Amino acid sequence: MSASKTAAASKSPKATATPSPPSAALGSWPTATAGKPVTSTITVSGSYDGGLKRFYGSGALGGDSQDEDQDPVFELADGATLKNVILGAPAADGVHCLGSCTLQNVWWEDVGEDAATFKGTSPSATYVVAGGGAKKADDKVFQHNGAGTLTIKNFQVAEFGKLYRSCGNCDTQYKRHVVINNIRVTSPGKVLVGVNANYGDTATLSGVTVVGDGGREITICERFQGNTTGAEPDKVGSGPDGTHCRYSASGIAYR
Ligand code: ADA
Ligand code: CA
Ligand code: CA
């Protein structure tokens, strides 16, 4: 690239139709504009803008437990977008995506059984989590039970079990992919991503900042032997291997 072209590009950056939040914004959480109890699952097709209201489970969605059989607060049809939503407590089973979906600027203040579950059955399903954050997940934040690729970018997570898990023991298993870029991770947490090596999963991470983990207790990427029997999967390794856990030391910053 010529010097003049470089100068021109930096002087007048091109406006984009869908700007992503600048990385400098990571660290701050939104203030809810109002509260909205939800007693039965809100189904979304097309686009739903929550106006940064705090949605929380009530009645049948108000259990606040770790039960696996809870309904979600939001259920997104294939191709749907959910944006500007704060999920407060209790958050039941969070958000379910039945196919490709986009979760833009969605915040979980106190993750329920999990924050979002991705269930599309097509290998070409794409799920995008852009902006937002999740706190207080006893176990998983993002549960990938279907096929396809999940991208998590410009996101923050604090106090969690696993940020991402490719289902280790679902009845139907798939090759799954996760791409993580520009996230802020605040200790304590157990595992950033868990993938099944035997089904060919991949996790690609870059731009990860880990805050407050002086003891390096958070495992960045763990590989499992997944199954369809329902058994608890065995761990088979962790750390970058260039195949299933794709990242380099420079992609993970500690502070
Ligand atoms: C699968 C998995 C469960 C649980 C569940 C979920 O059914 O086998 O262990 O994680 O997904 O929460 O979506
Ligand atoms: Ca679960
Ligand atoms: Ca769940």
Side-chain angles (χ1 to χ4, degrees):
M1 192 186 280
S2 72
S4 60
K5 207 173 173 193
T6 307
S10 60
K11 256 184 214 153
S12 52
K14 247 196 200 133
T16 54
T18 50
S20 35
S23 49
L26 294 184
S28 62
W29 279 65
T31 305
T33 55
K36 195 168 165 36
V38 181
T39 55
S40 69
T41 302
I42 298 170
T43 55
V44 178
S45 52
S47 182
Y48 184 100
D49 188 332
L52 278 181
K53 287 195 282 289
R54 175 181 290 115
F55 295 78
Y56 58 94
S58 174
L61 288 177
D64 200 14
S65 73
Q66 287 296 307
D67 289 354
E68 292 283 356
D69 59 0
Q70 298 175 72
D71 285 333
V73 178
F74 290 95
E75 183 181 86
L76 275 59
D78 186 21
T81 294
L82 181 68
K83 58 184 165 187
N84 304 321
V85 160
I86 299 172
L87 282 120
D93 210 41
V95 177
H96 287 186
C97 286
L98 304 184
S100 296
C101 67
T102 299
L103 309 182
Q104 193 185 320
N105 202 35
V106 176
W107 302 84
W108 289 262
E109 294 178 326
D110 186 346
V111 172
E113 199 285 305
D114 43 38
T117 308
F118 303 98
K119 305 169 74 159
T121 54
S122 165
S124 59
T126 54
Y127 321 95
V128 177
V129 174
K135 279 182 192 167
K136 301 185 197 167
D138 285 2
D139 188 14
K140 280 74 160 266
V141 177
F142 296 125
Q143 172 82 30
H144 195 170
N145 291 352
T149 301
L150 169 62
T151 299
I152 304 167
K153 58 186 179 186
N154 310 326
F155 192 78
Q156 44 195 310
V157 61
E159 291 177 65
F160 60 100
K162 294 184 179 80
L163 172 62
Y164 169 89
R165 178 70 170 104
S166 166
C167 185
N169 56 10
C170 283
D171 294 346
T172 305
Q173 290 287 30
Y174 302 93
K175 182 194 283 204
R176 307 186 180 102
H177 308 283
V178 62
V179 178
I180 291 182
N181 178 242
N182 188 37
I183 66 164
R184 178 184 168 108
V185 178
T186 303
S187 176
K190 293 198 175 88
V191 175
L192 218 49
V193 302
V195 293
N196 302 316
N198 55 315
Y199 296 125
D201 290 353
T202 64
T204 307
L205 301 99
S206 61
V208 175
T209 300
V210 183
V211 180
D213 187 23
R216 303 289 191 269
E217 278 166 25
I218 299 171
T219 301
I220 300 299
C221 185
E222 184 121 52
R223 294 179 292 282
F224 292 85
Q225 171 86 18
N227 65 70
T228 55
T229 66
E232 199 53 40
D234 291 330
K235 294 172 186 172
V236 295
S238 65
D241 66 353
T243 303
H244 306 292
C245 292
R246 305 181 181 190
Y247 63 98
S248 60
S250 64
I252 318 290
Y254 287 89
R255 44 164 284 203

